[in-house]
Amino acid sequence: GLCNLTIEQFRIAYLSKFSWNDTDLFNCLANVSVISLLSISLGSLQALLKDFRWQHLEMINCDFDKFPALKLRSLKKLVFTDNKDVSTFTKTELPSLQYLDLKRNHLSFKSCCSHTDFGTTNLKHLDLSFNDVITLGSNFVGLE
């Protein structure tokens, strides 16, 4: 039924078992502007590698196997907070990204932060607070 609706914001919260293998659900959400995933056991988000038209994506207090390797051309804001089981950041391809909130994840960065890490040169806000070891080696090369 979602495919027949026009949706601007979509939020899923507090599901203990959620299957991301259902590509029909994702295809129905391809044109949503804001996606919020809260306290969901996600494991891997390989299905999110498709270039949907999402502009704002929130993943808060979710259970991941690893940081999702996102490739979303239209994404402007990414909030990825309180996801405790993720310790390593995976490079992303987010050319429109302007706002990135990665606080409280126990992430470690060995050489942060340049445009190659985040796949954008448009980044204007970056929050890495309350993570593990972060070594600033690139001094924000190529970032606004």
Side-chain angles (χ1 to χ4, degrees):
L2 286 175
C3 290
N4 298 325
L5 299 173
T6 300
I7 303 171
E8 289 185 30
Q9 296 184 13
F10 187 81
R11 176 174 284 201
I12 301 173
Y14 301 102
L15 291 178
S16 60
K17 293 183 181 180
F18 187 79
S19 174
W20 286 100
N21 295 326
D22 187 357
T23 56
D24 290 339
L25 173 64
F26 278 115
N27 290 334
C28 291
L29 299 175
N31 294 319
V32 174
S33 295
V34 178
I35 298 284
S36 295
L37 308 173
L38 309 167
S39 299
I40 298 176
S41 180
L42 295 169
S44 177
L45 289 179
Q46 297 306 315
L48 287 180
L49 298 177
K50 187 175 179 180
D51 191 23
F52 294 126
R53 294 183 191 103
W54 301 345
Q55 293 182 21
H56 181 150
L57 175 59
E58 293 182 352
M59 294 177 276
I60 300 171
N61 195 30
C62 294
D63 182 18
F64 288 96
D65 294 335
K66 60 183 179 179
F67 191 91
L70 300 172
K71 296 179 183 179
L72 300 167
R73 290 189 182 118
S74 61
L75 195 68
K76 294 180 181 177
K77 184 173 184 176
L78 175 59
V79 176
F80 186 88
T81 60
D82 294 305
N83 301 295
K84 304 292 187 227
D85 294 331
V86 178
S87 62
T88 305
F89 181 79
T90 303
K91 290 187 178 186
T92 60
E93 291 182 32
L94 306 169
S96 299
L97 193 67
Q98 297 176 7
Y99 184 101
L100 181 57
D101 184 348
L102 296 174
K103 68 179 167 273
R104 295 187 305 264
N105 289 302
H106 297 270
L107 288 172
S108 293
F109 287 88
K110 293 185 180 183
S111 180
C112 185
C113 298
S114 75
H115 68 284
T116 58
D117 293 321
F118 309 119
T120 184
T121 58
N122 298 315
L123 196 63
K124 295 177 181 163
H125 175 90
L126 174 62
D127 189 344
L128 297 172
S129 58
F130 303 103
N131 278 293
D132 284 344
V133 177
I134 298 174
T135 305
L136 299 177
S138 302
N139 296 326
F140 305 100
V141 173
L143 295 173
E144 287 186 32

